[in-house]
Amino acid sequence: MIIGIGSDLCDIRRIERSLERFGERFTHRVFTEGERAKCDRRAARAPSYARRFAAKEACAKALGTGLSHGVFWRDMEVVNLATGAPTLRLTGGAEARLRAIVPAGHEARIHVTLTDDPPLAQAFVIVEAVPSGTS
């Protein structure tokens, strides 16, 4: 069953300006070490950051909290499955909120899709609860 859906559209130029103006102060506040390493290796650095920014916003919406109630930017990390598909690893307040919304006897699966078509980046996040032990 779907227990949360979130989407976000992010202007890549806004992220580019934040990178230029605030540099590491911005990236260290919003992104995890793993995300920074991945984005900083890319030639198209701003779109990579923008996709992840959109994913975090979409995840916060899917959790039903936005960036409040103890859910912080770095509590949500865009990572890739072995297949290469993106997903989110939650920690801290985001993980606690996820546990609170998943019904007993179920486990969460987070589905993420990311795209960009400059000047925009977009993300969709679906949080699904499946019966425990389901593969």
Side-chain angles (χ1 to χ4, degrees), residues 45-127:
R45 187 171 172 240
S48 186
Y49 274 117
R51 287 188 303 271
R52 283 161 179 76
F53 188 92
K56 291 168 182 273
E57 287 274 9
C59 180
K61 292 171 186 175
L63 292 172
T65 60
L67 288 158
S68 63
H69 302 286
V71 175
F72 299 101
W73 289 108
R74 287 179 294 160
D75 290 346
M76 302 167 282
E77 179 180 22
V78 177
V79 296
N80 295 91
L81 299 172
T83 61
T87 190
L88 284 150
R89 177 184 304 134
L90 305 185
T91 59
E95 182 182 26
R97 174 64 182 164
L98 180 64
R99 275 193 249 116
I101 65 173
V102 173
H106 289 72
E107 55 191 54
R109 294 214 179 121
I110 301 175
H111 306 276
V112 178
T113 184
L114 307 171
T115 191
D116 67 82
D117 188 6
L120 300 173
Q122 185 175 39
F124 289 96
V125 173
I126 297 173
V127 179

Side-chain angles (χ1 to χ4, degrees), residues 17 21 53:
R17 286 191 301 272
R21 185 170 178 197
F53 188 92

